[in-house]
Amino acid sequence: MQIANEYKAQQTAVCSLLGGIVADYFKDADHRAAFESWYLERYGKPYQWKKLEV
């Protein structure tokens, strides 16, 4: 599906905001632990965190 040119800037802005919100969420140790627990239950193996170089 192609996105009209006038919406590309809005899409980029929304994605940037969402990425920041997710990053902030996972800075909290309790949120990471809750995710790890969910992942283990869902997939049956522990989640391996990877450090990203930005």
Side-chain angles (χ1 to χ4, degrees):
M1 179 172 140
Q2 285 188 323
I3 297 173
N5 286 335
E6 61 265 16
Y7 296 114
K8 285 186 179 182
Q10 291 174 342
Q11 179 187 22
T12 300
V14 168
C15 290
S16 294
L17 286 172
L18 182 58
I21 290 168
V22 171
D24 288 343
Y25 181 85
F26 282 112
K27 286 180 183 176
D28 184 297
D30 291 335
H31 292 158
R32 286 192 310 272
F35 172 78
E36 289 170 348
S37 176
W38 170 84
Y39 189 91
L40 181 61
E41 182 179 319
R42 172 80 181 205
Y43 296 105
K45 60 182 180 179
Y47 184 78
Q48 297 296 315
W49 292 97
K50 298 172 187 149
K51 183 168 178 131
L52 298 177
E53 298 295 326
V54 179

